[in-house]
Amino acid sequence: AKEAGRNNFQFFVPEMNVRARERLMLENALRRAIERDELSLHYQPQLRADDGRLTGCEALVRWLHPEMGAVMPAQFIPVAEDSGLIVPLGEWVLRQACRQQAAWARAGLGGLMVAVNISALQFRRADFTGAVTRILAETGADPAWIELEITESALMQPSTELHERLVALGRMGLTLALDDFGTGYSSLAYLKRLPISRLKIDRSFVKDLPGDQEDAAVASATLSLGRDLGLEVVAEGVEQPEQFAWLQARGCAKMQGYLFARPMPADEFARWAAAHDPA
Ligand code: C2E
Ligand code: CA
Ligand code: CA
Ligand code: CA
């Protein structure tokens, strides 16, 4: 048994090395990307369900590597989280989104909420509130139009400190949303006390609506929870008119998805916004 174990081990090592080497390469490339301006943000519209008006957007990071081409967040966000690079990357994203909010406001495209994804690791750092304060001051963004999307999993072990951090961010005028709702297991008793104003139904519960019974149950439960707790519910990943109709009939306030628009670069978003919602 020992012999076999050793053989297995020897067989396994080169494979592990390849994967570890790939990760390290990606990590180094990502570190350079942050310095070399290879990252950019795309913005995906969010619309009000009842009248279809544009209310804001979600900022989503993109990486254009000179040789690898477009690298999607699903590939590099996990690497950034494992290596700690998510902290400088997350700050870059927040700064860029805040700059964009300020620029749109100056250009007369105000009144649009800009939602920014905050990684659990980023949110759990003691200096998070300080970083946000600095970035707001530096960019001149209006906190009333900045929303932080914090994943349900980031709030899984709710300490007094994290709770107070949310309260402080709310007092600064920021809007707080619970992202990927339904994928974690937050206690409902805790949810009631959280100073958040929105819940985002994860795309995994939207994509098989209205046919899938379990997904329909989760989405329905989230919508009634939102109603009971006075939280606005946003559905992401809406692709089909049937999904839109189903969600709208159950009181979902806002929607985001390919049915309306894909994430797009800032200038394209501004044109889309002007054409969609002529003021
Ligand atoms: P997320 O926060 O759940 O973002 C929604 C994802 O769904 C985005 O993928 C968006 O492009 C995609 N999406 C929106 N509508 C549809 C649709 O109708 N159909 C389909 N198939 N997809 C749709 P994306 O941009 O690839 O980002 C994936 C994930 O990476 C995000 O999921 C988020 O967890 C993470 N991420 C993206 N940008 C950032 C960032 O700046 N910071 C952090 N910490 N995470 C980010
Ligand atoms: Ca999000
Ligand atoms: Ca999601
Ligand atoms: Ca299912």
Side-chain angles (χ1 to χ4, degrees):
K2 207 170 183 184
E3 209 82 50
R6 195 174 295 148
N7 280 339
N8 274 339
F9 187 62
Q10 283 174 339
F11 176 74
F12 207 57
V13 164
E15 176 117 9
M16 292 278 285
N17 277 340
V18 169
R19 221 171 293 155
R21 230 181 295 136
E22 273 174 7
R23 274 226 143 191
L24 196 63
M25 259 175 52
L26 200 59
E27 186 187 322
N28 287 331
L30 187 56
R31 183 168 290 123
R32 282 194 299 273
I34 300 169
E35 293 158 6
R36 291 181 188 174
D37 227 31
E38 291 168 13
L39 302 177
S40 66
L41 293 184
H42 280 194
Y43 299 87
Q44 187 178 30
Q46 292 186 344
L47 296 92
R48 202 152 55 200
D50 55 7
D51 58 5
R53 291 210 61 172
L54 178 69
T55 59
C57 57
E58 177 178 6
L60 295 154
V61 69
R62 296 292 180 260
W63 178 12
L64 193 63
H65 185 276
E67 285 118 46
M68 292 188 283
V71 191
M72 289 310 278
Q75 287 173 265
F76 67 88
I77 293 289
V79 174
E81 287 181 331
D82 285 352
S83 59
L85 280 175
I86 193 69
V87 175
L89 189 150
E91 286 198 10
W92 183 91
V93 167
L94 184 62
R95 187 174 299 112
Q96 190 58 32
C98 283
R99 267 194 205 129
Q100 193 59 69
Q101 190 282 323
W104 280 334
R106 279 195 304 273
L109 200 71
L112 288 178
M113 194 67 99
V114 180
V116 184
N117 289 286
I118 304 295
S119 153
L121 245 106
Q122 206 186 342
F123 175 70
R124 285 170 171 271
R125 280 172 63 96
D127 63 352
F128 180 67
T129 314
V132 174
T133 307
R134 248 186 302 115
I135 290 168
L136 286 171
E138 188 186 305
T139 58
D142 183 347
W145 298 104
I146 299 291
E147 174 172 339
L148 305 181
E149 294 193 357
I150 301 168
T151 53
E152 189 187 9
S153 58
L155 299 175
M156 221 108 100
Q157 288 108 30
S159 64
T160 312
E161 195 194 340
L162 291 187
H163 189 99
E164 279 167 3
R165 190 165 303 164
L166 290 173
V167 172
L169 292 164
R171 286 218 184 97
M172 285 160 63
L174 296 151
T175 298
L176 304 173
L178 212 49
D179 204 4
D180 295 345
F181 190 74
T183 62
Y185 300 89
S186 37
S187 105
L188 297 188
Y190 177 62
L191 192 61
K192 191 177 66 175
R193 291 188 294 114
L194 277 181
I196 52 159
S197 40
R198 310 175 88 189
L199 298 177
K200 282 194 86 174
I201 306 181
D202 189 56
R203 187 166 72 84
S204 60
F205 302 112
V206 173
K207 72 179 194 338
D208 297 324
L209 286 179
D212 188 291
Q213 286 196 21
E214 292 97 357
D215 293 347
V218 174
S220 279
T222 306
L223 287 161
S224 69
L225 188 68
R227 202 160 30 246
D228 293 347
L229 298 181
L231 303 173
E232 188 174 80
V233 179
V234 186
E236 71 178 12
V238 180
E239 293 185 359
Q240 309 293 335
E242 296 76 27
Q243 296 167 339
F244 171 77
W246 190 94
L247 288 158
Q248 190 191 31
R250 284 157 187 80
C252 185
K254 283 174 188 165
M255 315 255 185
Q256 178 185 344
Y258 294 175
L259 178 62
F260 316 104
R262 296 196 174 234
M264 45 200 151
D267 50 346
E268 201 181 312
F269 175 84
R271 281 196 298 275
W272 190 94
H276 180 88
D277 245 8

